[in-house]
């Protein structure tokens, strides 16, 4: 599925901030793998940032299936389009509280 | 054209800007506007098509005229018939009728006298006073004559005595009465045509497609509602010119191989042509018997029955349901999961049911996740991360355990079709139990063990590929061809019951036109009961079988000679066009034969043949002859090149060709040469049909060659002469 270019650009920017100095030549299609100096924890951080920024839920079981930033952007767009009326999480406040408030 | 392109670009721009608008109101307005533009583009395209058609009509505006006195009228109406319709834009008067228009039926079906045609409003009766045919070439009237009976023979004879062309040509000027009935049939859900070699069945199938795209608005089909199933890509290319020539958009054309490839998701399998080549090379021995036995069993009625029983047994027996535990407690019990699937009354395919089950289980997991996250967060706190790092670490733990969980769930919610197919053969006792009451072939034990061995090494024989595709469709509910309303299936005689069962699943909403000739099967027996089987499997309400025995392709001499290879002789009528009798040549060695063949090729070209087909039994034979002859061939004075035709290559069929017989299905050549008509190659029961197929490809000239001993089928041939 094609990702919306705006979503993808924004996610790419967030990812650069997470990777910091390691962001040599990571592009939207770069596989999210150790060979490219990308750890699972980086991907998880990116996922969390996306959830906050776009107000969507990215299900944990799907996270490791995302092979590139483009994949992630497509996932986010899909969730946005579906309006993510999740069973467990009824609004953004609840979602944020659920994952990130201590 | 430019305007159209500009409009296209404009629309693309409008579509892109849609994404930038947030307001729904704006979006709706924009959608309205895009719709309008799309309509404008469609209109524009329609206009461009119309211009093309009219341009073509400038060169040949019509080919027939009928003067028809409508019952109750005082004066006859004069109507011209052409490839497309032409209207006076001011008076709206129709100057030329499209050949597919209801009134054109008068021309195809009647001689002078009482006549009628079927209009949307009902039958229209009257008197046909004049039926005149024209030949107009490059805008000049060449000749015309008045026809008494059907399409006049002389006209047809002239038409037929032309050379074969690289692409099949339209026949709108010479459609015969019974052909017209098939083309215009809209009654039947399944229309089957048993047509002798050269009876024009392929051509009729394509003209029928053009008709279906033209007929009354309510039933009219668009190009993407129709699919043509061709025997191979060579044939696909051969017929590709017809619809555009008739002024219609080309429709999707598929081969059985392409469909298998799609359904099997790219898994490697033995193609039909590979199978035929193996059989052809193996000859008439034990190996061939085994291969054919295996294929016939796996593609036959009994095995379809076995597969259906197997499919029923899968949820209970072969889906490894298990308890699903999350965060220390069981969220779904094995037995309840199994019951949900086994007792489902939804009528959905198993794959879909299992995916729904997976989603339901995950919903429960999601509900439990909130408290799970709390305990994971609690857990990582011990390691003294910063809040952000801690949250990420906790989330990562959840991600990892969720990934593992989903992997576990998918061991039973995802189907491995190949693995399941293997399981069908794994336990022989169970297989026999499953097949109880169904007729099994004699060598079933051997078939089962060979299949087990084959599958274990990952190989898919042609029969296994078809069976696996069927299994995949039935379990996976793969229905990407929902929009297809008409399937035109050519060279149907070579398809097996399983093919039709497969297509029935693939094109659930389609009506069928099935064209074939039971005398042209390759490596397979068939008689007229074939059509009963087809009708039984497709299970359509209104079904008919039309027989066409008149052959238009070959000269009488060639047709008679070809038919001599058929068992018990088959009734075939030839259109009386005469030519040289077929010849049989022999030489002491293959090298000697090569010189004779070269001589015959040169002679054929000299006599005006544009296409010469050297038809061999197998691809291996074709390669061997090509190698031998290409060195000797000097172009025959006209610089005509010699080509070797290989599978999946798209060739223009003009010049000299060396080709295996199974690739010549549906094709024709001005001259056909059959080398190797010897005892070694053509002695089996199936081989006589191969000789029949090869010989009946010829329009004007036919010659057979052998070194050593002649094929028994040739030796016993009643019309053997001219050596």
């Amino acid at each position: 599925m094609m990702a919306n270019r705006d979503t993808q650009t924004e996610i790419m920017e967030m990812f650069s901030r997470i990777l910091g100095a390691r962001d040599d030549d990571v592009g939207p299609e770069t596989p999210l793998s150790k060979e490219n100096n990308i750890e699972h924890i980086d991907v998880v951080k990116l996922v969390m940032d996306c959830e906050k920024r776009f107000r969507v839920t990215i299900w944990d079981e799907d996270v490791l299936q995302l092979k590139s930033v483009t994949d992630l952007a497509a996932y986010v767009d899909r969730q946005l389009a579906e309006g993510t009326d999740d069973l467990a999480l009824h609004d953004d406040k609840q979602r944020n509280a659920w994952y990130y408030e201590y | 054209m430019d305007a159209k392109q500009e409009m296209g670009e404009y629309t693309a721009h409008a579509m892109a800007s849609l994404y930038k608008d947030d307001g729904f109101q704006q979006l709706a307005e924009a959608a309205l506007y895009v719709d309008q533009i799309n309509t404008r583009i469609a209109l524009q395209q329609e206009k461009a098509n119309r211009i093309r058609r009219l341009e073509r009509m400038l060169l040949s505006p019509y080919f027939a005229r009928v003067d028809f006195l409508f019952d109750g009228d005082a004066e006859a109406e004069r109507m011209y018939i052409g490839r497309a319709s032409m209207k006076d834009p001011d008076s709206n008067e129709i100057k030329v009728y499209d050949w597919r228009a209801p009134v054109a039926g008068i021309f195809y079906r009647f001689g002078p006298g009482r006549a009628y045609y079927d209009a949307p409003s009902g039958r229209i009766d009257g008197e046909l006073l004049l039926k005149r045919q024209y030949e107009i070439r490059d805008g000049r009237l060449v000749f015309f004559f008045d026809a008494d009976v059907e399409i006049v023979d002389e006209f047809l004879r002239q038409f037929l005595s032309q050379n074969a062309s690289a692409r099949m040509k339209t026949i709108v000027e010479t459609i015969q009465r019974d052909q017209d009935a098939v083309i215009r049939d809209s009654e039947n859900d399944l229309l089957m045509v048993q047509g002798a070699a050269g009876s024009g069945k392929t051509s009729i199938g394509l003209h029928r497609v053009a008709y279906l795209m033209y007929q009354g608005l309510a039933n009219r089909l668009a190009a993407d509602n129709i699919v043509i199933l061709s025997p191979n890509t060579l044939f696909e290319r051969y017929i590709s010119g017809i619809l555009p020539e008739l002024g219609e958009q080309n429709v999707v054309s598929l081969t059985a191989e392409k469909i298998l490839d799609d359904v099997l998701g790219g898994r490697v399998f033995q193609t039909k042509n590979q199978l035929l080549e193996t059989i052809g090379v193996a000859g008439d021995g034990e190996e061939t018997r085994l291969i054919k036995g295996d294929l016939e069993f796996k593609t036959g009625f009994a095995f379809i029955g076995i597969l259906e029983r197997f499919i029923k047994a899968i949820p209970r027996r072969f889906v490894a349901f298990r308890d699903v535990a999350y965060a220390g407690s069981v969220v779904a019990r094995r037995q309840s999961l199994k019951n949900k699937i086994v007792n489902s009354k939804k009528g959905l395919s198993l794959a879909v049911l299992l995916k729904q089950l997976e989603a339901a289980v995950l919903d429960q997991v999601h509900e439990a996740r909130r408290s799970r996250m709390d305990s994971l967060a609690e857990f990582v706190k011990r390691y003294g991360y910063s809040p952000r790092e801690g949250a990420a670490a906790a989330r990562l733990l959840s991600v990892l355990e969720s990934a593992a969980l989903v992997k576990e769930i998918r061991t039973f919610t995802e189907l491995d079709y190949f693995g399941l197919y293997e399981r069908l053969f794994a336990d022989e006792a169970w297989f026999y139990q499953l097949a109880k009451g169904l007729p099994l072939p004699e060598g079933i034990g051997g078939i089962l063990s060979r299949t087990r061995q084959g599958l274990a090494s990952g190989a898919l024989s042609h029969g296994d590929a078809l069976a696996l595709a069927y299994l995949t469709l039935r379990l996976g509910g793969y229905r990407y061809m929902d929009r297809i309303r008409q399937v035109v299936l050519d060279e149907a005689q070579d398809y097996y019951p399983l093919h039709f069962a497969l297509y029935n699943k693939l094109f659930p909403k389609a009506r069928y036109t099935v064209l074939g000739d039971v005398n042209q099967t390759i490596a397979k027996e068939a008689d007229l009961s074939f059509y009963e089987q087809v009708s039984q499997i497709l299970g359509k309400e209104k079904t008919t079988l039309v027989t066409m025995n008149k052959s238009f392709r070959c000269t009488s001499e060639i047709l008679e000679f070809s038919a001599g290879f058929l068992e018990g002789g088959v009734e075939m009528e030839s259109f009386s066009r005469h030519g040289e009798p077929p010849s049989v040549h022999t030489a002491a060695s293959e090298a000697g034969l090569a010189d004779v063949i070269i001589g015959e090729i040169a002679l054929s070209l000299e006599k005006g043949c544009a296409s010469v087909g050297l038809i061999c039994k197998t691809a291996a034979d074709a390669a061997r002859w090509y190698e031998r002859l290409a060195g000797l061939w000097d172009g025959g004075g006209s610089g005509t090149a010699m080509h070797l035709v290989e599978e999946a290559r798209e060739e223009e069929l003009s010049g000299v060709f060396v080709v295996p017989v199974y690739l010549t299905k549906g094709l024709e050549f001005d001259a056909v040469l059959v080398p190797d008509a010897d005892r070694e190659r053509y002695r089996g029961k199936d081989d006589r049909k191969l000789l029949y197929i090869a010989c009946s490809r010829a329009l004007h000239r036919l010659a057979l060659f052998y070194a050593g001993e002649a094929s028994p089928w040739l030796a016993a041939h009643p019309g053997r002469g001219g050596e």
Side-chain angles (χ1 to χ4, degrees):
Chain A
M1 184 182 162
M2 275 289 289
N4 184 338
R5 191 186 295 261
D6 294 342
T7 312
Q8 184 172 305
T9 311
E10 211 169 321
I11 295 178
M12 214 47 236
E13 283 164 14
M14 293 192 271
F15 204 28
S16 296
R17 282 197 291 276
I18 291 167
L19 294 177
R22 284 176 295 149
D23 174 27
D24 293 340
D25 32 28
V26 174
E29 299 294 341
T30 307
L32 303 174
S33 63
K34 282 193 178 151
E35 290 83 77
N36 297 310
N37 229 351
I38 298 165
E39 302 285 342
H40 281 335
I41 194 77
D42 302 323
V43 180
V44 168
K45 284 177 189 165
L46 181 60
V47 161
M48 291 164 70
D49 288 350
C50 283
E51 286 177 322
K52 279 186 198 157
R53 163 65 187 86
F54 298 108
R55 303 178 174 190
V56 293
T57 300
I58 296 165
W59 297 113
D60 285 355
E61 60 272 14
D62 298 330
V63 170
L64 296 184
Q65 305 288 322
L66 303 168
K67 301 297 178 208
S68 65
V69 166
T70 308
D71 266 7
L72 175 56
Y75 189 102
V76 168
D77 285 340
R78 213 156 47 229
Q79 298 289 80
L80 284 171
E82 280 170 14
T84 42
D85 179 24
D86 301 318
L87 284 176
L89 309 165
H90 296 290
D91 58 46
D92 301 326
K93 219 171 177 180
Q94 201 180 352
R95 182 178 298 118
N96 280 332
W98 190 51
Y99 276 142
Y100 309 115
E101 280 177 16
Y102 296 94
Chain B
M1 280 297 150
D2 282 351
K4 182 189 139 200
Q5 199 175 358
E6 199 176 297
M7 250 190 194
E9 280 165 12
Y10 196 35
T11 317
H13 177 71
M15 295 291 240
S17 63
L18 267 185
Y19 289 106
K20 294 197 181 116
D21 289 325
D22 284 327
F24 179 76
Q25 186 62 35
Q26 273 168 302
L27 202 79
E29 273 169 24
L32 214 70
Y33 158 74
V34 167
D35 249 14
Q36 277 178 4
I37 291 196
N38 279 341
T39 314
R40 292 281 289 276
I41 289 183
L43 279 174
Q44 200 64 34
Q45 249 158 3
E46 178 52 34
K47 270 187 190 155
N49 277 344
R50 178 112 199 100
I51 290 170
R52 253 203 315 276
R53 274 200 289 266
L54 288 173
E55 274 172 355
R56 226 175 298 161
M57 283 179 88
L58 279 177
L59 305 177
S60 185
Y62 52 84
F63 56 82
R65 167 185 149 191
V66 288
D67 291 2
F68 191 65
L69 180 64
F70 288 90
D71 282 356
D73 279 7
E75 224 177 297
E77 205 168 307
R78 180 185 293 185
M79 293 177 281
Y80 289 92
I81 298 164
R83 284 174 175 241
S85 63
M86 189 163 31
K87 231 194 259 183
D88 183 325
D90 300 324
S91 68
N92 249 350
E93 188 193 346
I94 298 177
K95 296 287 187 191
V96 178
Y97 286 89
D98 189 287
W99 64 279
R100 296 165 293 185
V103 285
I106 303 173
F107 167 71
Y108 292 116
R109 293 185 182 193
F110 295 98
R114 293 296 299 171
Y116 63 81
Y117 66 93
D118 293 312
S121 54
R123 178 156 294 185
I124 311 280
D125 289 286
E127 181 112 11
L128 177 56
L129 301 178
L130 175 81
K131 176 169 166 178
R132 182 168 287 176
Q133 244 176 304
Y134 305 85
E135 171 77 12
I136 301 175
R137 245 179 266 153
D138 298 329
R140 292 169 57 108
L141 178 64
V142 183
F143 61 83
F144 75 89
F145 55 84
D146 293 346
D148 299 308
V149 232
E150 292 168 39
I151 313 294
V152 154
D153 283 4
E154 197 41 54
F155 188 76
L156 184 53
R157 189 168 295 123
Q158 257 206 20
F159 186 83
L160 294 173
S161 57
Q162 293 167 11
N163 278 333
S165 53
R167 304 275 181 98
M168 182 179 258
K169 284 191 284 198
T170 62
I171 55 164
V172 286
E173 298 88 346
T174 59
I175 293 169
Q176 305 290 298
R177 184 196 298 247
D178 53 345
Q179 297 177 333
D180 182 68
V182 171
I183 291 171
R184 287 171 197 261
D185 179 279
S186 54
E187 282 286 296
N188 291 291
D189 304 318
L190 168 60
L191 173 66
M192 299 182 286
V193 178
Q194 157 60 35
S199 61
K201 49 186 180 300
T202 300
S203 197
I204 290 163
L206 292 166
H207 284 74
R208 176 166 165 72
V209 167
Y211 176 74
L212 294 172
M213 291 166 89
Y214 167 88
Q215 61 167 358
L217 272 176
N219 323 321
R220 181 182 290 180
L221 299 182
D224 65 353
N225 295 140
I226 305 174
V227 65
I228 297 177
L229 300 180
S230 307
N232 56 54
T233 48
L234 203 62
F235 179 88
E236 271 184 339
R237 177 164 175 113
Y238 177 62
I239 64 169
S240 64
I242 286 272
L243 288 170
E245 209 185 313
L246 292 173
E248 295 292 350
Q249 210 182 326
N250 239 333
V251 305
V252 177
S253 163
L254 288 174
T255 61
E257 254 60 37
K258 172 78 174 66
I259 289 175
L260 278 182
D261 196 49
D262 271 2
V263 177
L264 298 178
R267 187 183 278 277
V268 176
F269 61 92
Q270 181 191 38
T271 66
K272 183 70 185 287
N273 286 341
Q274 284 166 349
L275 174 97
L276 294 176
E277 184 67 17
T278 310
I279 290 178
V281 171
D284 194 33
E286 181 63 11
E287 176 69 9
T288 297
R289 210 181 53 74
L290 282 174
I291 294 174
K292 278 169 61 179
D294 180 85
L295 180 68
E296 262 155 41
F297 171 60
K298 287 184 183 144
T299 54
F301 279 97
F303 198 64
I304 296 175
I306 291 171
L307 284 171
E308 283 298 331
R309 292 177 187 180
F310 178 55
I311 287 161
K312 238 188 186 151
I314 285 172
R316 218 174 270 283
R317 206 179 157 98
F318 296 111
V319 179
F321 294 102
R322 56 205 279 185
D323 292 347
V324 178
Y326 179 68
S329 60
V330 173
V331 291
R333 294 248 168 239
R334 175 185 166 279
Q335 195 54 45
S336 92
L337 291 171
K338 183 169 181 173
N339 287 345
K340 272 187 191 148
I341 297 296
V342 171
N343 301 329
S344 169
K345 302 257 182 300
K346 287 193 201 160
L348 296 170
S349 69
L350 183 58
V352 172
L353 285 177
L354 288 171
K355 272 292 145 197
Q356 288 181 351
L357 187 69
E358 179 183 306
V361 171
L362 283 175
D363 277 348
Q364 280 174 279
V365 169
H366 293 160
E367 276 183 62
R369 190 167 284 151
R370 183 175 182 178
S371 66
R372 179 62 179 165
M373 283 306 296
D374 288 344
S375 49
L376 288 174
E378 210 45 53
F379 174 75
V380 295
K381 265 188 188 162
R382 296 185 219 163
Y383 296 88
Y385 288 114
S386 68
R388 174 163 162 87
E389 291 295 323
R395 188 73 191 273
L396 176 58
L397 288 177
S398 174
V399 162
L400 292 172
E401 82 178 1
S402 299
L405 178 71
V406 131
K407 201 171 161 195
E408 211 176 288
I409 295 173
R410 289 193 178 147
T411 57
F412 63 86
T413 60
E414 281 189 351
L415 295 170
D416 164 18
Y417 302 113
F418 184 86
L420 281 169
Y421 187 63
E422 256 189 307
R423 298 287 284 275
L424 173 60
F425 299 93
D427 179 352
E428 223 167 277
W430 188 71
F431 182 91
Y432 287 126
Q433 202 185 316
L434 200 64
K436 209 168 162 189
L438 294 168
L440 295 177
E442 221 170 274
I444 182 69
I447 291 177
L448 294 183
S449 62
R450 275 167 67 107
T451 304
R452 264 196 305 277
Q453 282 165 23
L455 295 176
S457 67
L460 273 181
S461 74
H462 191 64
D464 288 328
L466 280 164
L468 179 56
Y470 184 75
L471 197 64
T472 306
L473 283 181
R474 285 285 282 110
L475 293 173
Y478 179 93
R479 288 199 162 186
Y480 80 126
M481 294 291 188
D482 255 13
R483 64 176 193 285
I484 299 294
R485 295 283 182 280
Q486 176 75 219
V487 175
V488 177
L489 206 153
D490 207 347
E491 302 292 335
Q493 71 278 0
D494 285 320
Y495 292 101
Y496 292 87
L498 186 56
H499 278 108
F500 292 98
L502 195 70
Y503 296 153
N504 219 9
K505 296 284 175 262
L506 205 53
F507 312 111
K509 295 175 184 164
R511 300 168 117 197
Y512 285 76
T513 303
V514 170
L515 311 153
D517 178 7
V518 290
N519 291 315
Q520 293 185 60
T521 53
I522 296 185
K524 173 178 184 255
E525 294 287 313
D527 54 32
L528 286 175
S529 68
F530 170 79
Y531 295 104
E532 280 162 37
Q533 294 182 358
V534 172
S535 142
Q536 188 189 331
I537 299 167
L538 294 180
K540 298 292 176 192
E541 210 167 291
K542 289 186 186 161
T543 296
T544 189
L545 172 65
V546 177
T547 306
M548 292 188 182
N549 279 334
K550 196 162 183 175
S551 175
F552 297 95
R553 179 187 294 142
C554 320
T555 60
S556 308
E557 290 79 4
I558 291 173
L559 185 73
E560 197 183 318
F561 184 90
S562 304
F565 286 116
L566 291 177
E567 200 170 359
V570 169
E571 237 180 86
M572 260 193 286
E573 215 184 307
S574 117
F575 179 79
S576 61
R577 179 172 70 85
H578 293 279
E580 283 182 50
S583 59
V584 179
H585 309 262
T586 179
S589 67
E590 204 172 281
L593 212 52
D595 292 330
V596 184
I597 291 175
I598 289 286
E600 175 61 27
I601 296 173
L603 185 63
S604 298
L605 292 174
E606 204 177 291
K607 295 244 175 181
C609 295
S611 62
V612 178
L614 202 75
I615 304 182
C616 303
K617 189 178 176 189
T618 63
D621 286 334
R624 183 171 53 84
W625 274 110
Y626 176 72
E627 209 165 291
R628 190 181 275 284
L629 296 172
L632 300 171
W633 180 242
D634 58 2
S638 56
T640 309
M642 185 182 284
H643 309 273
L644 176 65
V645 180
E646 285 167 300
E647 202 194 328
R649 274 252 293 278
E650 295 190 343
E651 304 265 1
E652 283 288 344
L653 292 175
S654 78
V656 182
F657 294 90
V658 190
V659 57
V661 62
Y662 55 76
L663 286 183
T664 65
K665 282 201 289 188
L667 306 184
E668 57 187 30
F669 302 91
D670 290 328
V672 164
L673 282 59
V674 182
D676 299 327
D678 56 42
R679 183 174 179 77
E680 196 195 323
R681 280 202 184 61
Y682 296 94
R683 68 173 169 201
K685 205 170 159 216
D686 290 344
D687 296 334
R688 60 194 300 174
K689 279 193 176 172
L690 294 183
L691 287 170
Y692 170 69
I693 295 170
C695 293
S696 59
R697 301 303 96 202
L699 266 72
H700 307 301
R701 293 178 67 84
L702 172 64
L704 290 84
F705 306 83
Y706 66 91
E709 209 176 327
S711 154
W713 306 121
L714 182 58
H717 194 282
R720 191 177 170 198
E723 276 182 43

